[in-house]
Amino acid sequence: MQFFIKSSQELLDKAFRRAKNVKESSSHKTIKEKLQEKALNKISTIDNVLYDELNKIIRSYPIFEELNPFYQQLFREYIFVKAYKRSLRNLSWTRKKIRELSTYYKKKIKNASTTSQISNWLKAYYGRISSLIYDLEKDLNLLFEVKRIWQKFPVIDTSKPIFVFAGYPNVGKSSLINALTSANIEIAPYPFTTKHLNIGKIDDIVLVDTPGILEKRINKMNDVEKRAAIALTYLTKNIIFVFDPSLSSGYDLFQQIDLLKDLTQQISFKPLLLVVNKEDLLCDDEKKKVKEILEKEFPSSEVVFVSALKGQGIKDLKDKIINLSYKTRSLPSMRLRRELNE
Ligand SMILES: Nc1nc2c(ncn2[C@@H]2O[C@H](COP(=O)(O)OP(=O)(O)O)[C@@H](O)[C@H]2O)c(=O)[nH]1
Ligand SMILES: [Mg+2]
């Protein structure tokens, strides 16, 4: 998102500076005619500059309804949507009002009978325009603020394959993402409602770590967390659920199974992969048992054992994620092909 924004003063400075540079015509005209022509040119210049600048601002800001629901949710957490829409409306209204005023004052200047009338109409025009633009100060400030906040949002290209990691705290989600992306680390924390998201990447595949969000039962979430969890599912339905059966996270396997069941029911997604982490802490018998239990509980999901700490199974997991990403990739390109054929 490339936001274009200026303050009232900057807008007026630019418009008036341009108007000041309007050249006198050198044709053989009377002083009054020359003055008239110059005044009309000044008005056209101011009108065009302000129209263009306001247009650029308005068009650089997203229409709320057109945002990906994930970003709509983020937006709502930080910005009063009604005020945002009102500010954009005010800018549009002013843009229109400036056109009207320009037409009105041009007519007055064309009909003026003396040079002092021309100067007075022009002065009046400058006054009206200034106060219109100064009246936008509050709205422009709000848009400055939106830009500032937006720049801290995670930049997630929603056209790319996205995978979200879920599971109880301390099962090793962050360690896994770190291990998976160690070759080309690009992990950065972003504010996400009251928490933050960590974004890692394998090539153009986006891995989203969700500290504090998909880490508890829905009935334990507060409203903000609930909305954040739902927002995440707007981003992607590709959830990788991480288990830690070693008990070192403080939750046993059955509590973790209940969390996954709860999340799948409440926010309707199907886990793509069940990753059992901390393999290094399990003996073969334990592994076999865990595998049996998970396959019985989630018959249609694949179970993968890894150790983020020791790097065991990480390469396989990475390959699986890359393979899964091809499935999600084919969807938009099919849609695109259909659109191209139409
Ligand atoms: N033994 C062992 N410890 C691990 C493994 N992966 C993560 N841990 C440890 O588990 C703890 C929690 O890991 P973290 O990635 O922060 O979990 P998160 O809260 O799910 O993001 C940390 O102390 C890690 O060092 C693993 O594969 N084996
Ligand atoms: Mg973490």
Side-chain angles (χ1 to χ4, degrees):
M1 209 72 68
Q2 279 290 3
F3 294 101
F4 179 83
I5 184 74
K6 283 195 165 135
S7 68
S8 298
Q9 196 58 56
E10 286 169 325
L11 289 172
L12 288 175
D13 284 351
K14 179 163 183 185
F16 292 167
R17 204 180 329 112
R18 286 272 182 85
K20 215 172 164 183
N21 291 337
V22 165
K23 295 274 176 301
E24 186 111 10
S25 93
S26 53
S27 58
H28 17 268
K29 281 183 177 163
T30 65
I31 293 179
K32 191 196 130 200
E33 281 169 347
K34 278 188 189 170
L35 199 66
Q36 221 158 13
E37 192 184 284
K38 201 170 168 185
L40 293 175
N41 281 341
K42 277 180 194 283
I43 291 181
S44 295
T45 304
I46 291 170
D47 182 74
N48 284 334
V49 169
L50 291 178
Y51 193 89
D52 283 354
E53 295 290 294
L54 290 176
N55 227 8
K56 264 201 274 183
I57 296 174
I58 294 166
R59 290 173 64 174
S60 76
Y61 279 80
I63 295 170
F64 181 76
E65 285 73 16
E66 289 179 0
L67 287 170
N68 177 297
F70 170 74
Y71 283 106
Q72 287 189 3
Q73 192 53 48
L74 269 185
F75 208 92
R76 274 195 210 101
E77 296 297 334
Y78 291 93
I79 299 150
F80 189 45
V81 177
K82 255 188 177 162
Y84 171 69
K85 289 184 179 174
R86 196 190 315 121
S87 289
L88 285 179
R89 263 203 315 276
N90 287 347
L91 260 66
S92 303
W93 181 86
T94 302
R95 187 179 56 174
K96 199 172 112 233
K97 192 75 194 162
I98 288 172
R99 280 271 124 111
E100 283 170 22
L101 280 181
S102 302
T103 311
Y104 176 82
Y105 281 92
K106 274 178 168 177
K107 207 164 134 207
K108 290 289 181 198
I109 287 171
K110 277 180 201 153
N111 295 334
S113 43
T114 64
T115 53
S116 72
Q117 267 179 6
I118 295 171
S119 317
N120 285 342
W121 285 124
L122 187 63
K123 216 184 278 168
Y125 175 76
Y126 270 75
R128 294 288 297 276
I129 293 291
S130 301
S131 69
L132 268 180
I133 297 291
Y134 282 130
D135 281 348
L136 282 182
E137 192 66 24
K138 241 174 70 190
D139 300 307
L140 295 169
N141 281 340
L142 185 137
L143 295 177
F144 262 114
E145 185 64 7
V146 168
K147 176 180 177 171
R148 197 185 60 77
I149 291 169
W150 193 283
Q151 280 166 345
K152 291 194 186 160
F153 283 174
V155 185
I156 301 178
D157 183 346
T158 48
S159 69
K160 293 287 175 344
I162 301 167
F163 294 86
V164 164
F165 285 64
Y168 269 118
N170 293 318
V171 297
K173 298 179 298 299
S174 304
S175 308
L176 266 174
I177 292 183
N178 269 308
L180 286 164
T181 57
S182 58
N184 39 359
I185 275 190
E186 203 187 305
I187 294 190
Y190 295 101
F192 183 69
T193 69
T194 53
K195 312 284 196 292
H196 62 273
L197 293 181
N198 295 319
I199 312 288
K201 281 187 185 156
I202 304 174
D203 302 326
D204 69 336
I205 302 169
V206 184
L207 306 180
V208 184
D209 188 10
T210 57
I213 300 163
L214 297 177
E215 291 191 327
K216 51 174 112 166
R217 303 286 294 263
I218 297 276
N219 62 9
K220 297 260 170 67
M221 291 182 186
N222 64 34
D223 284 349
V224 175
E225 286 166 339
K226 233 180 258 176
R227 288 200 298 270
I230 291 164
L232 277 174
T233 63
Y234 284 128
L235 190 60
T236 180
K237 296 268 181 198
N238 300 341
I239 311 278
I240 293 179
F241 196 86
V242 184
F243 289 98
D244 168 8
S246 75
L247 296 178
S248 67
S249 71
Y251 299 93
D252 69 30
L253 183 62
F254 292 99
Q255 284 173 300
Q256 297 178 48
I257 288 171
D258 285 345
L259 170 62
L260 174 55
K261 283 183 176 167
D262 182 47
L263 289 176
T264 46
Q265 274 169 21
Q266 303 283 335
I267 52 183
S268 71
F269 66 82
K270 192 174 140 293
L272 280 178
L273 268 182
L274 306 182
V275 176
V276 183
N277 189 33
K278 307 196 187 178
E279 174 184 37
D280 56 297
L281 299 178
L282 305 175
C283 67
D284 285 348
D285 273 358
E286 284 170 323
K287 272 171 71 173
K288 214 175 120 203
K289 205 153 161 228
V290 168
K291 196 168 157 62
E292 270 171 25
I293 294 169
L294 289 180
E295 281 173 349
K296 189 159 161 265
E297 292 285 350
F298 308 101
S300 58
S301 303
E302 191 178 353
V303 181
V304 190
F305 283 81
V306 299
S307 166
L309 193 72
K310 306 269 158 130
Q312 292 160 5
I314 295 300
K315 201 186 161 301
D316 273 359
L317 178 58
K318 197 167 169 173
D319 289 343
K320 284 207 164 65
I321 291 174
I322 292 171
N323 278 332
L324 284 169
S325 78
Y326 289 124
K327 291 188 187 157
T328 55
R329 256 180 238 271
S330 65
L331 290 171
S333 65
M334 264 164 65
R335 196 178 328 135
L336 187 67
R337 231 173 289 143
R338 211 179 316 132
E339 276 164 15
L340 287 174
N341 287 337
E342 271 165 9

